[in-house]
Amino acid sequence: MSNQVVIALGSNIEKEKNLPRAIELLREMCAVTAVSPIYETEPVGLLNQPNFWNAAVLLQTDLSASDIKQQIIGTLETKLRRVRQADKNAPRTIDADIVLFNDAVFEYDGGDGRSRPIPDPDLAKFPHVAVPVADLLPDLPHPQTGEPLGALAKRLLADVVREYGRSPLTPI
C-alpha cells in the first residue's frame, strides 16, 4: 500500500543552496508528488540566527514512518551535512520532519530510541509548518482535530499577525 506523506523542510545555513538541494535529493530517493512554495521565516526559540527558508513536500512511498526517518531523512541530513546541536532550534543546513502520514495518528521510533508523534505537533502550532503543508493539502482535515489544514494555517497566521502586527512568512 502506498502512503501519502508530508515532509516539512527548513534551512538557514546556505538556505538558497540547501533547501532546493533537499527537494532534489527527495526526488531522487522517492516519488515526490507536490512541493509547496518556499517561505522565508524568522527563527523560533533561538532568535539570534539567520532567517529560515521553509517548504513542504508531498510524497508517495511504501516505506513506514520509521524507514522514512532513517533511510530518506537520514540520507538527506547526511548529504547536506546536518549537524545536531544541544539546542534543537540552532542553525542548520537542513531540517526535515514527517508532519503527516496518511491521515494516521501514531508514534514511531526514528531509529534513535526517541518516540516521535504523527501528526507532528508543530503543524498545529507554527505557521512556518502549517502554511506550506496547507498549500499542498488545504482541504485535508487535521487527523486529530478535524480542522481543514487551510483553515488551520489561516488561523495560526492571523494569531501571529494580531500579536506582532505582521506576517511571519514571506514568499520567496
Side-chain angles (χ1 to χ4, degrees), residues 9 18-28 32 35-36 38 55 57 76:
L9 298 171
N18 286 320
L19 193 69
R21 180 68 179 132
I23 295 165
E24 189 179 297
L25 287 167
L26 284 171
R27 283 193 166 114
E28 291 171 8
V32 172
V35 178
S36 77
I38 296 172
V57 178
L76 187 68

Side-chain angles (χ1 to χ4, degrees), residues 155-171:
R155 181 173 55 77
L156 291 175
L157 259 179
D159 289 348
V160 172
V161 169
R162 202 170 22 260
E163 187 172 345
Y164 296 102
R166 59 186 164 77
S167 175
L169 290 90
T170 304

Side-chain angles (χ1 to χ4, degrees), residues 49-69:
Q49 62 177 317
N51 284 351
F52 279 82
W53 275 13
N54 293 97
V57 178
L58 183 63
L59 0 142
Q60 289 292 133
T61 179
D62 292 330
L63 295 175
S64 69
S66 294
D67 289 342
I68 292 166
K69 177 67 176 163

